[in-house]
Amino acid sequence: MVLQIPRIHFYEIDDQAWFPPFLREKVQACLTLVWIKRFPPFQSSSPATLVVKTLQSLLGPSIKDYTFIDFCSGAGGPTPHFEREINKALELESIENYHARTKKSTPSTTRRKDANETNGTLGTSNSDKNDNSTDTSVDFILTDIHPHIPSWRLACSHSPHLHYIPHPIDASAAPPDLLSQIHSSSSSTIPHRKPFRLYSLAFHHFSDPLARAVLKDTLRTSSGFAIFELQSRNLGSLFTVLLLGPLLWGVSWYYFWGDWVHLFWTYVVPVAPTVVVLDGIVSCLRTRERGEILRLLDEVEGVDGDWRVGWRFESGRGRHTWPFGEATWFVGVKDG
């Protein structure tokens, strides 16, 4: 049930300039943990996996047509998880399609003969597979107005399809040559695909004027965007946020063992879990519902032509934590 109060844009501690960067790093590490880990029996999958399934369901086969640009990435958040899970699924799909084509085009007798000649393989060498298949992986790019270079560099070192922009990027005024500014651990170039913006646990941070500016820039420079939040403006979300404190107290020693600074600011002086809970409560009060986002879109001015033509919007919610934790999403896709 949505709280029958207007959206309140209270201040979050983690947003403040006076909040020490090293503590902000610890808070963001906690948020990343909440995003990507599954805590049974209260979760059947991690919130990040829920988002991946949502993108796959909404975009379908066209997911391969986009380059995903994550704005307000923080220390990386769930984006490396998105990249890994989506590309894993695309790779499996590509392999299955390849075998289906091979089976359809090769007579059964020939397949048996080739199998015997190749010691039980499918009768096709790795080079043959490469010649008959294309790379269907999609690329993800990390950006932020305060770049977290060390964390991003480490995350990108694990995948040739995860990249970052080493310069500050303002979501309300992204440069038109954004994709030419990427830094990658891979020497390969990014295929020319349509830009798709991601705002993961980020859009509620924007005031209404800034949110309008971000949406305006998004409509002008992107072919799609998705707003994902792990909370709603309801009592269930507030209850779930309050449980984050005990959760972080219970698991931080395991997940952050060896990071003695993190453990100090969790158990000796519990700044990290306290800020996560307090900011989480404010995040609930800041979160917008579908109608409020549509109203912001209606108030966008200065976009060439009638931007509404060709755009379609969908929204929804899905439970990530029993009994009340829900993720919400609002996705816009431009046809063509």
Side-chain angles (χ1 to χ4, degrees), residues 44 114 161 197:
S44 59
D114 289 344
H161 299 290
R197 292 196 184 194

Side-chain angles (χ1 to χ4, degrees), residues 44-192:
S44 59
S45 65
S46 70
T49 298
L50 176 62
V51 167
V52 167
K53 292 178 179 178
T54 300
L55 284 173
Q56 291 170 326
S57 175
L58 289 174
L59 299 180
S62 70
I63 198 170
K64 298 188 292 289
D65 298 336
Y66 298 101
T67 293
F68 293 89
I69 307 170
D70 183 33
F71 286 79
C72 309
S73 298
T79 305
H81 183 92
F82 297 165
E83 183 274 327
R84 183 168 55 253
E85 292 300 311
I86 288 176
N87 279 328
K88 180 181 178 181
L90 290 174
E91 181 182 8
L92 290 174
E93 179 186 18
S94 178
I95 292 173
E96 290 173 356
N97 289 341
Y98 171 78
H99 289 322
R101 291 196 304 271
T102 303
K103 183 176 180 180
K104 183 177 181 180
S105 61
T106 307
S108 58
T109 55
T110 304
R111 287 202 305 276
R112 286 197 297 271
K113 178 181 178 181
D114 289 344
N116 292 330
E117 293 175 351
T118 54
N119 298 321
T121 67
L122 292 175
T124 307
S125 66
N126 287 335
S127 60
D128 290 336
K129 288 183 181 181
N130 293 335
D131 290 341
N132 289 280
S133 61
T134 58
D135 183 10
T136 58
S137 300
V138 296
D139 292 278
F140 286 74
I141 303 171
L142 302 168
T143 75
D144 201 286
I145 200 166
H146 300 294
H148 292 248
I149 304 300
S151 299
W152 294 355
R153 185 182 296 118
L154 177 62
C156 293
S157 68
H158 298 298
S159 172
H161 299 290
L162 185 63
H163 321 273
Y164 65 88
I165 306 292
H167 317 294
I169 298 297
D170 184 347
S172 65
D177 60 341
L178 180 67
L179 296 183
S180 68
Q181 301 180 26
I182 70 163
H183 188 282
S184 174
S185 61
S186 170
S187 58
S188 60
T189 58
I190 293 182
H192 182 69

Side-chain angles (χ1 to χ4, degrees), residues 238-302:
L238 289 171
F239 175 78
T240 303
V241 165
L242 290 175
L243 296 180
L244 289 178
L247 172 67
L248 292 172
W249 264 70
V251 304
S252 289
W253 67 271
Y254 177 79
Y255 288 107
F256 299 109
W257 186 258
D259 187 345
W260 309 119
V261 175
H262 190 109
L263 296 179
F264 176 86
W265 292 103
T266 298
Y267 294 107
V268 181
V269 183
V271 171
T274 300
V275 171
V276 168
V277 171
L278 293 179
D279 280 3
I281 293 171
V282 175
S283 295
C284 292
L285 300 177
R286 281 178 161 190
T287 302
R288 297 176 175 89
E289 297 296 317
R290 172 185 170 89
E292 293 166 322
I293 297 176
L294 288 173
R295 187 155 52 248
L296 288 173
L297 285 165
D298 287 337
E299 295 169 353
V300 168
E301 298 177 352

